[in-house]
Amino acid sequence: GRMAQDMTEKELLKMELDQLKKEVKNERQMVSKTGKELKEYIESMAGEDPLLKGVPEDKNPFKEKGGCTIS
């Protein structure tokens, strides 16, 4: 696609309208309900979350393979 700055106002408005047509089909729910469900899900998965419990050194694909020396 073309960059937004290269598009006419009419093209930009059509893009926005197309997006809104897609979004209006989304099923909506109360945040009071979904927020509670989201919190429960996050808490139930916390034991498996590498951001909370860390990654074992032997399973870390990004571990440094060696140091570097500056001479």
Side-chain angles (χ1 to χ4, degrees), residues 5-70:
Q5 61 265 30
D6 297 335
M7 299 172 78
T8 65
E9 186 176 0
K10 183 179 177 185
E11 289 172 316
L12 288 169
L13 289 171
K14 183 183 181 322
M15 257 178 63
E16 186 176 350
L17 184 62
D18 290 343
Q19 182 63 34
L20 289 171
K21 283 179 183 175
K22 290 176 195 167
E23 288 180 23
V24 79
K25 295 175 190 155
N26 290 344
E27 182 185 338
R28 299 181 186 275
Q29 295 184 351
M30 302 286 284
V31 171
S32 56
K33 178 178 181 289
T34 56
K36 183 172 173 282
E37 290 173 359
L38 188 59
K39 181 176 180 276
E40 288 168 2
Y41 173 77
I42 291 168
E43 287 172 350
S44 75
M45 302 301 280
E48 303 302 311
D49 191 332
L51 293 176
L52 293 176
K53 67 175 203 166
V55 178
E57 279 298 310
D58 58 334
K59 293 197 171 53
N60 184 354
F62 302 105
K63 186 174 76 171
E64 294 289 330
K65 302 271 187 287
C68 66
T69 51
I70 299 171

